[in-house]
Amino acid sequence: MPHPTLQTDAQGRLRHLLTIAGLSRELLQHLFDLAETYMDPLTKSTELQGRIITNLFFENSTRTRMTFELAATRLCADVMNFNVSTSATAKGETLLDTLRNIEAMHTDLFVVRHPLSGAAHFIAQHTAPGVCVINAGDGRHAHPTQALLDMFTIRRHKGDFTPLRVAIVGDILHSRVARSQIAALNTLGVSEIRLIGPQTLLPAATRTLGVHIFPYLADGLEDVDVVIMLRLQKERMDGALLPGTSEYFRLYGLTQARLAVAKPDVIVMHPGPINRGVEMDSAVADGPHSVVLQQVSYGVAVRMAVMSLCLQD
Ligand code: NCD
């Protein structure tokens, strides 16, 4: 019998999705199988008819917020959007008061994005029984649905995870996406996870992460099946961790020439937003190996699957 946690119940069913840590390989594969059933963009399902989903965004977002909204409407849920810049938060309302008020509108599920690590856990601990929380990115901590849609993209292109070598490149230190991807790649049993980046942008404790560190792009990209590029998250940097963006591109920017050492069928991923000419050349971003826009499309199906699992009776 599984051990109940904040995000899974005693039967192992998903109640909240806050982090990838602690989720089983079977649950992830089940979620991907379910996402496959939502891949046709023209079919709608009525399974969440009568349910109310609230997007609670305290930080900017394009893809994540829009794909959550589309996913909810494709399952026939009613959707409300909270945006901090146009809300009463500016008038001094606390987070818990905001929550209680939106709960009074009979919300069944909150999709939460917040600049503070731990915010989604905090909200999950304070929602009424039966109300679900999905973490859509909290500080540097976790972004589980992004990692899930990335894994789904890898599975669709590569099938089996076990033989794969995956490189994550760039600002790993500030990346909630990278943290969730590393957890998911370990759970799914890939052969090797490589972190490539300057020392100042790598997490201090990498020993327990099950990864290999590569300070140079040329070494790290050799024979990889998947390359995941990350944005320089300047909004989360405390000081000058880099000499400059052109210097960064010279050392870590992905170009077609640099990609030549990877496997011939390598796929290039990026969670977006891309800074062209900083972490990646346009020729790569728009080139034959790029699956960046497929990640966005698959994100709808994956988020439908997550909402469906969280709200199952
Ligand atoms: C990421 C995020 O917000 O963490 N973007 C996303 O959700 N697609 C990555 C980033 O901001 O660089």
Coordinates of all heavy atoms in Angstrom, one line a residue, residues 31 51 53 67 112 128 136-137 151 158 168 193 198 200-201 205 210 218 220 229 248 259 275 296 302 312:
L31 N 0.3 8.6 -16.8 CA -0.1 10.0 -17.1 C 0.2 10.2 -18.6 O -0.6 10.8 -19.4 CB 0.7 10.9 -16.3 CG 0.2 12.3 -16.3 CD1 0.1 12.9 -14.9 CD2 1.1 13.2 -17.1
R51 N -17.1 21.5 -13.3 CA -15.9 21.7 -12.4 C -15.4 23.1 -12.7 O -15.5 23.6 -13.8 CB -14.8 20.7 -12.6 CG -15.2 19.3 -12.4 CD -15.6 19.0 -10.9 NE -15.5 17.6 -10.7 CZ -14.7 17.1 -9.8 NH1 -13.9 17.8 -9.0 NH2 -14.6 15.8 -9.7
I53 N -12.0 25.6 -12.5 CA -10.6 25.7 -12.4 C -10.1 27.1 -12.4 O -10.6 27.9 -13.2 CB -9.9 24.9 -13.6 CG1 -10.3 23.4 -13.4 CG2 -8.4 25.1 -13.7 CD1 -9.8 22.5 -14.5
T67 N -1.9 27.3 -22.0 CA -2.1 25.9 -22.2 C -2.9 25.3 -21.1 O -3.7 24.4 -21.3 CB -0.8 25.1 -22.5 OG1 0.1 25.3 -21.4 CG2 -0.2 25.4 -23.8
V112 N -1.3 27.1 -9.8 CA -0.6 28.2 -9.1 C 0.8 28.5 -9.6 O 1.6 27.6 -9.8 CB -0.5 27.8 -7.6 CG1 0.3 29.0 -6.8 CG2 -1.8 27.6 -6.9
A128 N -9.3 24.0 1.1 CA -10.4 23.2 1.7 C -10.2 21.7 1.2 O -9.7 21.5 0.1 CB -11.7 23.7 1.3
A136 N 2.4 25.4 -11.0 CA 2.7 25.9 -12.4 C 4.0 26.7 -12.3 O 4.3 27.5 -13.2 CB 1.6 26.7 -13.0
G137 N 4.9 26.4 -11.3 CA 6.2 27.0 -11.2 C 6.2 27.8 -9.9 O 5.5 28.8 -9.8
M151 N 9.1 15.3 -20.7 CA 9.3 13.9 -20.8 C 8.4 13.2 -21.8 O 8.8 12.3 -22.5 CB 9.0 13.3 -19.4 CG 9.9 13.7 -18.3 SD 11.7 13.6 -18.6 CE 12.2 15.3 -18.6
K158 N 11.5 9.4 -28.8 CA 12.6 8.4 -28.6 C 12.1 7.1 -28.1 O 12.8 6.1 -28.0 CB 13.6 8.9 -27.6 CG 14.3 10.2 -28.0 CD 15.3 10.0 -29.1 CE 15.9 11.3 -29.6 NZ 16.6 11.1 -30.9
I168 N 21.3 18.9 -20.1 CA 20.6 20.2 -19.8 C 21.7 21.3 -19.7 O 22.7 21.1 -19.0 CB 19.9 20.0 -18.4 CG1 19.0 18.8 -18.4 CG2 19.1 21.3 -18.1 CD1 18.3 18.5 -17.1
I193 N 22.4 11.7 -17.2 CA 21.9 13.1 -17.2 C 23.2 14.0 -17.1 O 24.0 13.8 -16.2 CB 21.0 13.4 -16.0 CG1 19.8 12.5 -16.0 CG2 20.5 14.9 -16.1 CD1 19.0 12.6 -14.7
P198 N 28.4 27.2 -16.9 CA 29.5 27.8 -16.1 C 29.3 27.4 -14.6 O 28.1 27.3 -14.1 CB 29.3 29.3 -16.4 CG 28.0 29.5 -16.9 CD 27.5 28.2 -17.5
T200 N 29.3 29.2 -12.0 CA 28.4 30.1 -11.3 C 26.9 29.8 -11.5 O 26.1 30.4 -10.8 CB 28.7 31.6 -11.7 OG1 28.7 31.6 -13.2 CG2 30.0 32.1 -11.2
L201 N 26.6 29.0 -12.5 CA 25.2 28.8 -12.8 C 24.8 27.3 -12.6 O 23.7 26.8 -13.1 CB 24.8 29.2 -14.3 CG 24.9 30.7 -14.6 CD1 24.5 31.0 -16.0 CD2 24.0 31.5 -13.6
A205 N 25.2 21.6 -4.7 CA 25.3 20.2 -4.3 C 24.7 19.4 -5.5 O 23.5 19.2 -5.6 CB 24.4 20.0 -3.1
G210 N 22.3 12.7 -9.0 CA 22.5 11.6 -10.1 C 22.8 12.2 -11.4 O 22.2 11.7 -12.4
A218 N 31.3 21.5 -25.7 CA 31.8 20.6 -26.7 C 31.8 19.1 -26.1 O 31.5 18.2 -26.8 CB 33.1 21.0 -27.3
G220 N 30.3 18.1 -23.3 CA 29.0 17.7 -22.8 C 28.0 17.2 -23.8 O 27.1 16.4 -23.6
M229 N 17.9 23.2 -23.6 CA 18.5 24.5 -23.4 C 17.6 25.3 -22.4 O 16.4 25.2 -22.4 CB 18.6 25.3 -24.7 CG 19.4 24.6 -25.8 SD 21.1 24.1 -25.3 CE 21.8 25.8 -25.1
Y248 N 28.6 34.7 -23.0 CA 27.9 33.5 -22.6 C 27.6 32.8 -23.9 O 27.8 31.5 -24.0 CB 26.6 33.9 -21.9 CG 25.8 32.7 -21.5 CD1 26.1 31.9 -20.4 CD2 24.7 32.3 -22.3 CE1 25.4 30.7 -20.2 CE2 24.0 31.1 -22.1 CZ 24.3 30.4 -21.0 OH 23.6 29.2 -20.7
L259 N 26.2 21.5 -32.4 CA 25.3 20.3 -32.3 C 25.8 19.1 -33.0 O 25.4 18.0 -32.8 CB 24.0 20.8 -32.8 CG 22.7 20.0 -32.4 CD1 22.6 19.8 -30.9 CD2 21.5 20.6 -33.0
N275 N 15.6 33.2 -25.6 CA 16.3 34.5 -25.9 C 17.3 34.1 -27.1 O 18.3 33.5 -26.9 CB 17.1 35.0 -24.7 CG 16.2 35.6 -23.7 OD1 16.4 35.6 -22.5 ND2 15.1 36.2 -24.1
V296 N 5.1 22.7 -26.8 CA 4.0 23.6 -26.4 C 2.7 22.8 -26.8 O 1.8 22.8 -25.9 CB 4.0 24.9 -27.2 CG1 2.9 25.8 -26.8 CG2 5.4 25.7 -26.9
V302 N -0.8 17.0 -22.0 CA -0.2 16.6 -20.7 C -1.0 17.3 -19.5 O -1.3 16.7 -18.5 CB 1.3 16.9 -20.6 CG1 1.8 16.7 -19.2 CG2 2.0 15.9 -21.6
Q312 N -10.1 13.1 -10.5 CA -10.9 11.9 -10.6 C -11.5 11.6 -9.2 O -10.9 11.9 -8.2 CB -10.0 10.7 -11.1 CG -9.0 10.3 -10.0 CD -8.0 9.3 -10.6 OE1 -8.2 8.7 -11.6 NE2 -6.9 9.1 -9.9

